[in-house]
Amino acid sequence: MQNTQIDPQNHEQQLAYELVANTNSSFFLTGRAGTGKTTFLHNVQKLAGKQFITLAPTGVAAILAGGDTIHSFFGLPMEVCTPGTCGKMNETKVLTLLHADTIIIDEVSMVRCDIMDAIDYTMRKVLRNNMPFGGKQIIFVGDMFQLPPVVKQGLEKDMLKDLYQTDDFFFYKSNAIKRMRLVKIEFRKVYRQDDEHFLHILENVRLNKVTPEDIMHLNERVCTPTEDDGAVITLASINKTADKINLQRLEDIEAEEFVYEGTVDGKFEEKKFPVDLELRLKVGAQVMFTRNDQQKRWANGTLGKVTKLTKDEISVTLNNGETYVVPCCSWESYSYDYNKEERKMKKELTGTFTQYPLKLAWAITVHESQGMTFDKLSLDLSRGMFAAGQLYVALSRVRSLEGLYLSKNVIPQYAHTSRDVLTYASEYNNEQQIGNEIESGKAVYEALQHNDCDEAAKQYLMLVVKNAENGDIKEAMQQAKRFLDILVCDEHLYGVIENVPEYLLHASHWAPKFLVALLNLYEKKYDDALVYIEDVLAKHQCPEAMYIKSRALAKLKRYKEADETNCQLANVFEMATPDAKVLFMIAMLNEMYIGDPGLDLMRKLIEARPKYDLGILALRTLMQCRNLKLDKQSDNNCELVDLFNSDATEKEFLAQLRICREKAPKAIAYLTRRIKKQEFNEEQLGTE
């Protein structure tokens, strides 16, 4: 794969690129070791016209990905995140998040479900948008067959089991992900290994399909590497084993010890250090490079032997016999910043860590090796392989079977994989589902580019009809959920549905009945919609069904019942932020029919959705009915405020509002600022 290009011969990469560049759809990107996931993500960020934030669960992973840690960016606590846990984000990070198009979460297999739910809740609160993850596109990246999330035994595990009713805590067990029904793209083309026989064994280990023949071929590699084999790294299952090996091997060398002190400039958290701040070496020590060389003399994971040490110089001889003087390297730590003047999101350099890109490497843990590649490795099996996916991660670090050395025989029990992961993986590369996602995503994304969420909602509604007609209930329900998530004002949708598929009318399950109620509502069959949605609510309580009930009642002019339903909706279902469509509906219903003021509610909608032009128009209409005007404190950038207060027609005001979106952002900013500060007293509202 060439730099800054998407591999034209890789079908899965082409599909993933379509989703990233041309939709707002979130998805899961996976692939076995060596399939080029990281390279693809670097390339797509350069090619797609979007602003990205890259996050990872650990400091080292974040540094390698060129981003920030999840906990640091969202301000999350280190303990278990219970429902309603909201991160503490400063203004800079809030602005950064607000103006980002896409968030990449790398190494997501190591992210616990409770952390994922906390991210979702924080984003919905901060962005004032009740859609999953505040409506942002999220690319979840990782290999579920590699190492699972780390969970402490005892109280932490007990709490998580109680919260999620499961024995494992993968990211897709989160409530947020369950709402989304992510498409899953698996990269299949392997760029790292070229040993077909070994690839076959790795795949069987990965999928828990290891055969006696696979075990036999692996156990043929039980042997101890000799000095003739050159530098060979040992992978151990636990830190204690790796540290013991490294310490003992360094002590065994009868030579002068040199200590090299690294330096930190600015802010660089210790947990993110890619190598030790204090590097202890002797001539003859086996070391591993922890960074790619710009001149391509070595790569991250290349092994070598220290052949010369002075106060200011380290020479290392590689397995190929080449000897190089190793220069110091600097690693950079970034935070994200938003430039208000340029209206662009920027990565801000917060600090640098400078040290030789080396670490003692007779042994490292399997966990530390994730993401690395070696020509030769020895796998220490003295403590077995205790974690699901651990054997696969260890074996997949080496390029060929001939480069593998085992301390003892592999037994089939080491090659275990979570059954839940196997089930999840069975849904990878569903061509029809991915095709549907790209089709719907493109149409919706184009509408959202023009801040037209009502048109985007209409696109989703049409997809509900299409999938229902094709008999795909699951996909139709997914699109219905998205339709109701993104919808604000639905007045333009009544009458767009011509008929309901006949087979749905006779279904007994609540899901088809929900679809019938939804489609009947927008076919203007309000009585039928009410009958079906009441049947749904008798079996399955959900806010989406309550919304449909309220809208059907309002259309039947049963306003008090609609208002009661809205109150029930608000009381029963806790939301991270007020749902935009619910705010719009309640505001209009109260103001126009119930007799209660709805102005404050409409203002809250504008605060939550400042780019929703019909919300501003609706507030103007309601204020005009009460002969109210926006307060104005300045004559600068006030042309929209003046037009808001004028007797211009709705069409004229809306047209000028949309022109200003493109050409006069300061006028837009001043208008929304005055709306937020507008006060409505009881005398103005006529409630005394």
Side-chain angles (χ1 to χ4, degrees):
M1 190 166 41
Q2 299 178 2
N3 290 333
T4 66
Q5 288 188 5
I6 307 303
D7 188 347
Q9 305 302 316
N10 192 321
H11 178 59
E12 288 78 27
Q13 278 197 15
Q14 297 295 321
L15 293 175
Y17 179 77
E18 281 290 305
L19 282 170
V20 178
N22 299 316
T23 81
N24 194 46
S25 300
S26 299
F27 66 100
F28 175 51
L29 175 62
T30 188
R32 71 196 77 170
T35 51
K37 298 186 296 293
T38 302
T39 303
F40 169 82
L41 290 170
H42 284 310
N43 290 343
V44 82
Q45 289 183 65
K46 295 173 183 175
L47 294 169
K50 290 185 174 184
Q51 300 205 60
F52 292 83
I53 295 173
T54 302
L55 305 172
T58 67
V60 173
I63 295 297
L64 292 173
D68 201 353
T69 64
I70 290 169
H71 281 80
S72 174
F73 184 82
F74 290 109
L76 297 175
M78 298 307 296
E79 62 267 17
V80 171
C81 296
T82 54
T85 297
C86 188
K88 298 179 180 178
M89 301 181 70
N90 59 35
E91 183 184 359
T92 298
K93 287 183 176 177
V94 169
L95 284 170
T96 300
L97 184 61
L98 185 65
H99 290 86
D101 299 300
T102 302
I103 292 91
I104 297 168
I105 299 182
D106 204 6
E107 299 291 358
V108 76
S109 67
M110 297 174 12
V111 181
R112 294 197 318 257
C113 49
D114 64 307
I115 295 170
M116 197 58 64
D117 277 333
I119 295 170
D120 168 64
Y121 190 84
T122 301
M123 290 182 69
R124 286 188 286 131
K125 288 280 285 186
V126 167
L127 299 172
R128 297 182 178 182
N129 188 326
N130 212 46
M131 294 175 67
F133 298 94
K136 295 291 184 182
Q137 181 182 50
I138 314 289
I139 306 174
F140 305 94
V141 186
D143 184 2
M144 301 312 300
F145 291 98
Q146 296 193 33
L147 296 167
V150 177
V151 178
K152 296 177 183 175
Q153 295 293 324
L155 181 61
E156 184 173 278
K157 189 170 185 178
D158 291 342
M159 285 180 65
L160 289 168
K161 285 180 72 172
D162 184 60
L163 286 169
Y164 291 95
Q165 301 297 305
T166 183
D167 292 322
D168 49 48
F169 310 102
F170 297 111
F171 84 101
Y172 58 82
K173 295 295 184 71
S174 70
N175 297 318
I177 300 299
K178 288 178 180 177
R179 290 179 66 203
M180 299 174 72
R181 195 166 172 250
L182 295 172
V183 299
K184 309 170 187 69
I185 296 181
E186 180 188 29
F187 286 177
R188 291 171 174 167
K189 183 178 178 180
V190 179
Y191 295 93
R192 183 181 296 165
Q193 288 105 345
D194 53 11
D195 183 336
E196 291 295 330
H197 175 56
F198 188 39
L199 281 174
H200 177 73
I201 294 174
L202 284 177
E203 186 67 0
N204 284 350
V205 172
R206 183 173 185 255
L207 299 178
N208 206 22
K209 295 181 178 178
V210 66
T211 66
E213 187 180 5
D214 295 331
I215 297 293
M216 181 189 70
H217 286 300
L218 285 173
N219 290 337
E220 288 174 354
R221 300 303 304 164
V222 175
C223 56
T224 303
T226 66
E227 288 195 7
D228 293 339
D229 293 314
V232 181
I233 196 167
T234 296
L235 298 191
S237 59
I238 59 174
N239 277 306
K240 189 176 181 180
T241 303
D243 292 342
K244 184 179 178 181
I245 293 172
N246 284 326
L247 182 62
Q248 186 60 57
R249 295 294 295 271
L250 188 67
E251 290 293 326
D252 289 343
I253 298 176
E254 296 181 358
E256 181 183 1
E257 183 176 285
F258 287 76
V259 180
Y260 301 90
E261 296 284 348
T263 59
V264 176
D265 293 318
K267 184 180 178 182
F268 202 113
E269 296 178 63
E270 186 176 349
K271 62 184 180 182
K272 292 184 179 180
F273 288 174
V275 293
D276 291 336
L277 184 62
E278 186 181 84
L279 177 63
R280 300 171 59 197
L281 293 176
K282 294 179 181 180
V283 172
Q286 181 166 293
V287 292
M288 180 178 70
F289 287 86
T290 59
R291 184 164 180 159
N292 294 334
D293 178 47
Q294 290 185 347
Q295 301 178 40
K296 299 184 178 181
R297 295 171 294 179
W298 57 79
N300 182 22
T302 297
L303 296 177
K305 188 169 286 187
V306 176
T307 49
K308 182 181 178 181
L309 293 173
T310 68
K311 182 181 177 182
D312 304 308
E313 188 175 293
I314 301 174
S315 295
V316 175
T317 300
L318 308 186
N319 281 348
N320 62 9
E322 298 286 339
T323 300
Y324 300 104
V325 176
V326 181
C328 268
C329 287
S330 291
W331 289 262
E332 297 172 336
S333 180
Y334 291 94
S335 67
Y336 290 94
D337 191 17
Y338 180 72
N339 190 307
K340 294 182 181 179
E341 294 181 357
E342 297 182 15
R343 300 189 174 192
K344 289 183 178 179
M345 189 182 71
K346 293 184 177 180
K347 287 167 65 175
E348 181 185 10
L349 179 66
T350 58
T352 58
F353 174 89
T354 303
Q355 178 63 286
Y356 292 98
L358 298 169
K359 65 183 297 181
L360 291 176
W362 286 285
I364 63 173
T365 66
V366 177
H367 280 75
E368 287 177 311
S369 75
Q370 190 157 319
M372 297 178 176
T373 309
F374 308 103
D375 291 318
K376 297 179 181 180
L377 72 82
S378 175
L379 183 55
D380 183 285
L381 294 169
S382 60
R383 301 292 295 267
M385 292 280 115
F386 58 88
Q390 198 172 29
L391 181 65
Y392 171 68
V393 171
L395 296 176
S396 61
R397 299 308 92 194
V398 68
R399 288 188 172 87
S400 68
L401 192 58
E402 286 68 33
L404 176 68
Y405 304 84
L406 300 178
S407 67
K408 59 184 255 186
N409 282 344
V410 171
I411 59 176
Q413 289 85 335
Y414 293 166
H416 67 289
T417 304
S418 165
R419 289 185 180 179
D420 197 83
V421 168
L422 289 168
T423 302
Y424 192 72
S426 66
E427 301 172 358
Y428 292 170
N429 293 345
N430 184 322
E431 289 279 347
Q432 183 178 349
Q433 192 181 357
I434 295 170
N436 289 340
E437 193 67 42
I438 292 173
E439 178 190 7
S440 63
K442 281 184 174 180
V444 171
Y445 184 59
E446 185 175 346
L448 291 176
Q449 289 293 94
H450 298 92
N451 300 315
D452 194 346
C453 54
D454 292 329
E455 177 59 28
K458 183 179 178 181
Q459 294 291 335
Y460 279 134
L461 184 60
M462 294 301 100
L463 285 163
V464 173
V465 176
K466 178 182 176 181
N467 287 295
E469 289 175 343
N470 292 336
D472 192 342
I473 299 293
K474 283 188 177 180
E475 191 64 29
M477 286 294 291
Q478 175 70 6
Q479 302 302 350
K481 178 71 177 68
R482 292 177 175 179
F483 162 71
L484 291 165
D485 273 341
I486 204 169
L487 180 67
V488 182
C489 177
D490 63 2
E491 288 297 331
H492 67 299
L493 294 174
Y494 294 99
V496 301
I497 304 300
E498 295 181 357
N499 54 67
V500 178
E502 182 69 23
Y503 79 95
L504 289 176
L505 301 174
H506 309 292
S508 58
H509 192 267
W510 70 266
K513 290 185 177 184
F514 178 92
L515 293 174
V516 173
L518 178 71
L519 298 178
N520 271 331
L521 178 66
Y522 296 108
E523 196 185 354
K524 294 186 176 180
K525 293 182 177 179
Y526 308 126
D527 286 305
D528 291 346
L530 191 59
V531 169
Y532 277 97
I533 209 64
E534 288 281 22
D535 199 6
V536 170
L537 287 167
K539 301 173 183 176
H540 184 75
Q541 291 279 324
C542 62
E544 293 85 359
M546 296 290 290
Y547 176 81
I548 293 172
K549 178 181 177 180
S550 174
R551 297 303 286 141
L553 287 168
K555 286 297 178 180
L556 292 167
K557 299 183 179 181
R558 294 160 61 177
Y559 301 124
K560 287 188 177 180
E561 292 174 78
D563 189 48
E564 289 171 0
T565 303
N566 292 335
C567 291
Q568 188 181 355
L569 176 62
N571 291 333
V572 173
F573 298 102
E574 193 277 332
M575 302 175 188
T577 190
D579 190 292
K581 69 180 181 295
V582 175
L583 278 178
F584 192 97
M585 172 185 62
I586 296 176
M588 296 301 290
L589 187 67
N590 283 354
E591 187 71 27
M592 304 301 291
Y593 303 109
I594 302 299
D596 295 331
L599 292 175
D600 272 328
L601 291 173
M602 195 62 74
R603 184 174 56 189
K604 287 182 181 178
L605 169 66
I606 296 167
E607 289 178 3
R609 297 284 184 91
K611 294 182 178 180
Y612 185 61
D613 292 342
L614 290 184
I616 296 174
L617 182 65
L619 178 67
R620 178 177 183 261
T621 301
L622 297 182
M623 288 180 65
Q624 284 181 333
C625 291
R626 293 179 176 270
N627 294 316
L628 299 177
K629 296 183 182 296
L630 274 181
D631 297 332
K632 188 175 71 171
Q633 293 187 341
S634 170
D635 290 331
N636 297 324
N637 305 308
C638 64
E639 56 263 41
L640 272 179
V641 174
D642 289 337
L643 191 64
F644 187 99
N645 290 332
S646 75
D647 58 358
T649 67
E650 289 187 353
K651 187 176 180 181
E652 289 169 341
F653 176 76
L654 195 59
Q656 190 59 37
L657 188 60
R658 288 169 175 169
I659 290 171
C660 288
R661 290 280 185 203
E662 299 289 331
K663 299 182 178 180
K666 289 183 178 180
I668 292 285
Y670 185 73
L671 174 66
T672 54
R673 197 159 56 246
R674 296 317 312 159
I675 289 173
K676 290 177 184 178
K677 292 183 178 294
Q678 184 76 20
E679 294 184 2
F680 302 112
N681 58 47
E682 290 183 350
E683 184 178 356
Q684 289 176 315
L685 299 176
T687 58
E688 289 189 318

